[in-house]
Amino acid sequence: MAAELVEAKNMVMSFRVSDLQMLLGFVGRSKSGLKHELVTRALQLVQFDCSPEVFKKIKELYETRYSKKSSEVAPPPPPQQQQQPPQPRAEALPLHSSYDRGSAVARTLPTPNIDYPALYGKYLNGLGRLPPKVAKPEVRLVKLPFYTTLDELLKPTELVPQNNEKLQESPCIFALTPRQVELIRNSRELQPGVKSVQVVLRICYTDTSSPQEDQYPPNIAVKVNHSYCSVPGYYPSNKPGVEPKRPCRPINLTHLMYLSAATNRITVTWGNYGKSYSVGLYLVRQMTSAELLQRLKTIGIKHPELCKALVKEKLRLDPDSEIATTGVRVSLICPLVKMRLSVPCRAETCAHLQCFDAVFYLQMNEKKPTWMCPVCDKPAPYDQLIIDGLLSKILTECEDADEIEYLVDGSWCPIRAEKERSCSPQCPILVLGSSDVNGLLPPPAGNGENGKAPADVVDLTLDSSSSEEEEEEDEEEDDDDEGPQPKRRCSYEKGLVSAC
């Protein structure tokens, strides 16, 4: 088996850049980089992830390269030999010029006779079988706003159980290129010990129908080289009967990896309970909410005139409707934090004109990503966010109101809260403890001092029964003198003095 691996490595070392790229692309590895990087990656593939399909592809590329070479340099056969049947020849191919210093054994390679099933079982990584040549739908993961993918180190590959045990282990071995190592080392720190350029592990359901969100299998544990990596825990649930939720997000492996040409070994421990999961490795750059806000301000502002046209469209009278909408109110207060809007935004898919503050929205999703609109509770992903240019302009022009109203012509007017009315001279004076029999001070015949009529005063010490009897007596007297009169409900409607 060791001799067969050596022969496979020698065949790989004879490949040109195009052959190496075809081989790496066949197994889903990165095809970028210089030739020595591609050779290193291909040799690691042969050593640690060698399957029958890989050997078959190597042999196919090797034979293709040999046939092209032989057709270019082989002289035409003599006439007397053209009618003879072709004789079998040993497959031999000079190594590439950059490897001409190799041994003589490497210069002539017989056709490898490999026990494919045994080799497949021994060198399989445990991350699932390589796909056949027939094109199959691939597992795709959703794009995460806070992570910009720089390289795909391992395509989403299914976790395949190796036995009937409930707890399974799946190893993966890979190495970083010098360029990738430099990107990590030269990146800034988001916080002490956490680089912005990271190698992350993402896990999702094995479902090719649509892009998948991150989803952890039960009993998950991730070991990088010789240390276990921390995985986000469960959110506690205060509601009875509700299972706690776990925030599923990319797992940062960078701080436990060898930032050199050495190979890194990742072991994923997972619970096999019927559902199928896939894992992928990516080199990413993690973004902050401030960077996403700056990007949104650069490319996500909707022109005020377009926003004005949207207002007109929403307020346009529907011919089939019997109710005409003359305006719509929009609050200048963010529904998330109950503070005045600074960067008003909403999703393009939202049907409402109400906005929320982009600053707080991005900060909240940075800590706990949900990407749900706080106004209509519908999905509002980052790629669909827009900044309302019209409302941004209104916020600068209207600083003394917390609400506005859009009118049918696209214009707007502020709605200011009514201030509490100050005490006016018409407020009555309440006198407590008066001993007047009728409960009201008798009005004088003439005006009081300064020509003003004195105020009627109500005595609140009398009970309701005595007041009702006195009112009936007053009505009888009025009826005898002037006939029927309207009942006087309140004796202090006019001419009263302020209580302030």
Side-chain angles (χ1 to χ4, degrees), residues 431 434-441 457-460 462 467 470 491:
V431 179
S434 175
S435 59
D436 183 69
V437 177
N438 296 326
L440 296 174
L441 292 178
V457 182
V458 178
D459 186 0
L460 300 181
L462 299 178
S467 299
E470 292 163 1
S491 59

Side-chain angles (χ1 to χ4, degrees), residues 175-455:
L176 297 173
T177 65
R179 181 185 67 86
Q180 294 167 346
V181 172
E182 288 301 315
L183 284 175
I184 296 174
R185 287 179 174 173
N186 296 334
S187 63
R188 60 186 179 86
E189 287 190 347
L190 300 176
Q191 52 186 343
V194 179
K195 293 284 191 178
S196 60
V197 177
Q198 307 167 359
V199 175
V200 297
L201 176 73
R202 298 186 66 183
I203 310 177
C204 67
Y205 288 130
T206 305
D207 186 355
T208 59
S209 60
S210 61
Q212 299 295 302
E213 296 182 351
D214 293 68
Q215 185 65 47
Y216 296 159
N219 307 117
I220 181 176
V222 180
K223 187 177 182 181
V224 181
N225 295 321
H226 303 290
S227 303
Y228 281 96
C229 183
S230 60
V231 179
Y234 288 91
Y235 287 139
S237 176
N238 298 325
K239 299 181 180 180
V242 178
E243 295 183 1
K245 295 183 178 180
R246 168 179 253 167
C248 298
R249 58 185 64 185
I251 303 174
N252 185 10
L253 312 178
T254 315
H255 60 290
L256 298 177
M257 294 181 54
Y258 301 135
L259 296 182
S260 62
T263 58
N264 294 274
R265 182 181 181 87
I266 299 174
T267 303
V268 179
T269 304
W270 51 285
N272 180 25
Y273 293 96
K275 291 186 178 180
S276 179
Y277 295 85
S278 294
V279 299
L281 282 173
Y282 302 89
L283 184 71
V284 300
R285 186 186 304 277
Q286 185 174 357
M287 312 292 287
T288 63
S289 59
E291 291 172 326
L292 291 187
L293 178 63
Q294 186 59 40
R295 181 188 298 177
L296 185 62
K297 288 181 177 180
T298 304
I299 63 176
I301 299 180
K302 195 166 186 177
H303 196 274
E305 291 300 323
L306 297 177
C307 297
K308 188 175 182 180
L310 180 62
V311 172
K312 290 181 179 179
E313 180 65 23
K314 287 189 177 296
L315 293 177
R316 183 174 57 87
L317 178 61
D318 187 357
D320 299 330
S321 176
E322 298 179 356
I323 302 176
T325 305
T326 58
V328 59
R329 291 190 174 190
V330 172
S331 176
L332 304 183
I333 302 299
C334 175
L336 285 170
V337 291
K338 308 303 179 185
M339 295 174 60
R340 187 178 175 86
L341 293 169
S342 60
V343 185
C345 81
R346 63 176 178 273
E348 285 186 309
T349 54
C350 290
H352 50 79
L353 296 174
Q354 179 65 50
C355 290
F356 49 86
D357 199 298
V359 178
F360 298 108
Y361 185 71
L362 293 176
Q363 289 176 355
M364 293 177 66
N365 281 281
E366 185 177 19
K367 295 181 179 179
K368 184 180 178 181
T370 58
W371 300 105
M372 300 297 290
C373 175
V375 179
C376 62
D377 201 28
K378 293 181 179 179
Y382 176 79
D383 291 340
Q384 296 180 0
L385 295 181
I386 57 103
I387 296 178
D388 192 318
L390 178 59
L391 198 58
S392 298
K393 184 179 179 182
I394 293 174
L395 285 167
T396 59
E397 298 177 358
C398 180
E399 299 181 354
D400 57 346
D402 293 335
E403 192 176 14
I404 63 163
E405 182 177 7
Y406 285 124
L407 304 179
V408 290
D409 60 351
S411 61
W412 61 276
C413 62
I415 300 177
R416 295 179 175 86
E418 295 183 0
K419 297 182 180 179
E420 296 182 1
R421 293 181 177 179
S422 59
C423 296
S424 61
Q426 284 75 26
C427 295
I429 294 178
L430 305 181
V431 179
L432 304 180
S434 175
S435 59
D436 183 69
V437 177
N438 296 326
L440 296 174
L441 292 178
N447 294 336
E449 296 181 1
N450 300 327
K452 295 183 179 179

